[in-house]
Amino acid sequence: MLALIALGLGYLFDQVILFLFIFSFLVLAWFTANIIRLHNWLWIRKTLYPPQSKGIWRGIFDGIYRIQKKNRSRRKELGGILKRFRDGAESIPDAVVVMQSHGQIAWSNKLAQHMLGVRWPEDAGVRIDNLIRYPRFTQAFEKNDFDEPLLIPAPNNPNRVIEIRVVPYSYHEYMLLGRDVTQLQQLDQMRKDFIANVSHELRTPLTVLQGYLEMMQDPDMQGFTSPKTLTTMGHQCDRMMNLVNQLLTLSRIEANNDNVYEVKVNVPQMLGMIEKEMEQLNFDRGHQLTFDIDADLVVYGLEDELRSAFTNLIKNAIRYTPDKGEIHVCWQRTSGGAHFLVQDNGEGIAPQHLTRLTERFYRVDKARSRDTGGSGLGLSIVKHVLNHHKSQLIVESQQEQGSCFSFTLPTDMVVK
Ligand code: ADP
């Protein structure tokens, strides 16, 4: 339209070229001015809103503005999705490493940095087999064979076991998931050891009984059953019975969730009864047993459990103290609560055994413990009982001098 007007004016004033030149110049100037505004807007001001313009340039500015706006909201949306993904991956209780086709690290969460020693972002692009240098992992990585989870020692702490799984999650992208299974492994090992120990403990007396029974079935031996044979068989049965009883006590205590504050336990009376039982037990050993008991010191607790703990500790003192030894039992109020102590002047325990005494079936001298009728579970039971009663066992001992086993029930468990 403007070109036609310029042409018209050119004809009117007989200056067509001049008018067309002025028109072209003005159009070029307008275009140049708008291109400069566009450039300034996109590269210098970088704002969302476009400069004001007219005509075709308004359409161009508005179009770019709309595309930019759409891109911005898409970017925001994508940023939100990425943040949610990362937050989610951070809250997974596993180590997560996102890898590209050749195992180059694309991203890792904090747990991976802690568990697998990945440094982020320094290790971005580094191949994972450069960080986890463990033959079985490298082999599986090379063959791309991750059907089964792999158990490997943690790269920065060989005492911890990490279960590794690698899952493909999009085209040529993989996610490595690592979980610390040290505790599960230990529990599994404990379960295996426990079954092996119980079987072993039961097999020995059963073998003895089996031997005697076979001997009795032998026609040549008929009528030769001596009282000594029967006594030995009786001892072996007692041993098995003691072991089974201790196992039952231990499993009952482990499963017990009763509230220790609900029942008052008259410990002085209980210790009085235990004293009488122990005197009978000690009858032919000639120990000098002294009980120093605060008759008013009653506590809250679980009666059966406390009886089991006291009995085990006092029986041990009798067992591991040579005949005519001295055993002192004390139950007294202290500033820390109710204090129980059993002291003997027996064989004592070497320092290297002290920390392991409360493990199930741990004995300093296996043969000696079996001879004296021990099951190897006594101190383990004591430990569990004391855990229930907010206390712990303290063992002080010197070889050939004697031992002192003690614990204190806290003041809030003492009945005022
Ligand atoms: P056990 O049934 O073998 O006595 P325990 O768990 O009661 O099992 O004790 C574990 C080990 O601790 C015993 O085998 C023994 O070697 C040692 N022990 C416990 N009490 C004493 C003590 N008073 N004096 C010396 N050694 C002890």
Side-chain angles (χ1 to χ4, degrees):
M1 280 284 289
L2 287 172
L4 281 176
I5 292 170
L7 205 61
L9 284 173
Y11 274 116
L12 201 68
F13 294 100
D14 202 16
Q15 290 286 349
V16 175
I17 304 269
L18 179 68
F19 272 90
L20 277 181
F21 174 75
I22 293 170
F23 167 75
S24 306
F25 177 77
L26 287 176
V27 169
L28 198 64
W30 183 54
F31 264 70
T32 310
N34 276 304
I35 286 174
I36 291 171
R37 290 169 81 197
L38 177 64
H39 175 269
N40 287 351
W41 174 43
L42 293 179
W43 295 106
I44 299 172
R45 276 173 44 220
K46 292 182 184 167
T47 55
L48 179 64
Y49 295 104
Q52 291 295 325
S53 192
K54 287 202 169 58
I56 192 166
W57 281 102
R58 189 180 179 168
I60 293 173
F61 282 134
D62 282 355
I64 296 176
Y65 163 70
R66 245 177 257 166
I67 294 171
Q68 271 200 343
K69 208 170 141 188
K70 213 188 264 176
N71 277 349
R72 271 197 187 196
S73 69
R74 265 199 205 142
R75 225 181 301 148
K76 222 172 165 185
E77 214 174 289
L78 276 178
I81 293 173
L82 196 66
K83 186 172 179 308
R84 280 207 295 281
F85 165 76
R86 287 193 171 169
D87 289 351
E90 284 296 356
S91 62
I92 295 177
D94 291 345
V96 180
V97 181
V98 177
M99 301 178 298
Q100 286 157 348
S101 51
H102 296 294
Q104 308 96 314
I105 297 174
W107 183 77
S108 76
N109 69 355
K110 287 217 176 64
L111 215 53
Q113 293 156 38
H114 173 72
M115 212 186 273
L116 302 172
V118 179
R119 290 166 310 144
W120 185 257
E122 293 88 331
D123 285 339
V126 174
R127 280 174 55 136
I128 191 76
D129 52 344
N130 283 336
L131 296 178
I132 305 179
R133 291 172 172 277
Y134 186 67
R136 278 179 58 207
F137 178 78
T138 315
Q139 256 172 26
F141 186 78
E142 276 162 8
K143 291 188 194 151
N144 203 1
D145 173 18
F146 285 104
D147 294 343
E148 294 290 322
L150 265 183
L151 293 180
I152 62 160
N156 47 12
N157 182 357
N159 294 328
R160 304 209 72 82
V161 184
I162 311 281
E163 184 192 76
I164 297 274
R165 274 169 303 147
V166 176
V167 278
Y169 83 98
S170 81
Y171 187 65
H172 280 308
E173 297 236 314
Y174 299 90
M175 195 184 288
L176 179 146
L177 298 165
R179 174 173 296 180
D180 190 334
V181 289
T182 316
Q183 222 175 356
L184 281 177
Q185 291 271 308
Q186 280 168 352
L187 280 177
D188 196 41
Q189 193 54 44
M190 266 170 71
R191 186 183 58 81
K192 285 181 190 153
D193 289 350
F194 183 68
I195 294 174
N197 276 325
V198 173
S199 318
H200 182 75
E201 293 294 329
L202 285 173
R203 202 177 59 180
T204 317
L206 275 174
T207 313
V208 177
L209 284 178
Q210 194 184 27
Y212 280 125
L213 284 173
E214 276 170 13
M215 192 182 82
M216 286 173 181
Q217 279 167 346
D218 186 342
D220 297 341
M221 300 294 285
Q222 293 287 320
F224 282 98
T225 316
S226 68
K228 194 171 164 244
T229 311
L230 291 177
T231 313
T232 313
M233 288 173 83
H235 276 151
Q236 298 305 326
C237 283
D238 287 348
R239 207 173 125 185
M240 281 194 290
M241 185 62 92
N242 182 33
L243 175 64
V244 173
N245 283 339
Q246 292 278 62
L247 278 172
L248 286 174
T249 310
L250 190 59
S251 76
R252 203 175 49 236
I253 292 172
E254 274 180 332
N256 198 351
N257 286 325
D258 291 351
N259 188 352
V260 290
Y261 287 107
E262 274 167 13
V263 192
K264 289 179 189 171
V265 184
N266 190 339
V267 176
Q269 199 181 38
M270 182 190 281
L271 284 173
M273 280 155 70
I274 295 177
E275 183 179 0
K276 286 201 184 88
E277 281 167 33
M278 293 303 144
E279 268 161 7
Q280 281 172 7
L281 189 82
N282 178 46
F283 187 66
D284 52 349
R285 307 270 318 264
H287 290 313
Q288 190 189 330
L289 292 176
T290 50
F291 278 66
D292 175 12
I293 310 293
D294 178 341
D296 299 321
L297 189 50
V298 176
V299 293
Y300 292 104
L302 303 172
E303 191 165 340
D304 286 349
E305 291 196 3
L306 286 177
R307 181 182 298 110
S308 189
F310 294 137
T311 314
N312 273 308
L313 290 175
I314 301 172
K315 265 190 184 169
N316 273 352
I318 295 178
R319 252 186 222 143
Y320 301 105
T321 302
D323 291 356
K324 303 197 169 50
E326 282 171 23
I327 293 158
H328 179 63
V329 178
C330 174
W331 173 248
Q332 290 295 337
R333 199 182 288 262
T334 63
S335 56
H339 186 67
F340 178 78
L341 169 150
V342 186
Q343 189 153 27
D344 63 56
N345 64 349
E347 58 198 56
I349 305 160
Q352 70 270 25
H353 299 292
L354 291 179
T355 51
R356 300 197 56 193
L357 288 183
T358 54
E359 285 174 26
R360 293 165 184 184
F361 297 110
Y362 188 83
R363 285 114 155 194
V364 175
D365 178 345
K366 274 199 162 79
R368 167 111 182 72
S369 158
R370 286 202 191 102
D371 288 349
T372 54
S375 66
L377 294 173
L379 292 181
S380 184
I381 291 174
V382 174
K383 179 181 145 185
H384 275 87
V385 171
L386 295 183
N387 272 350
H388 276 180
H389 291 79
K390 302 202 290 181
S391 179
Q392 57 184 12
L393 186 65
I394 294 171
V395 188
E396 290 155 295
S397 187
Q398 267 193 321
Q399 262 183 304
E400 311 302 333
Q401 303 280 311
S403 313
C404 176
F405 289 75
S406 66
F407 63 84
T408 305
L409 300 185
T411 32
D412 56 340
M413 305 209 50
V414 177
V415 178
K416 302 278 175 287

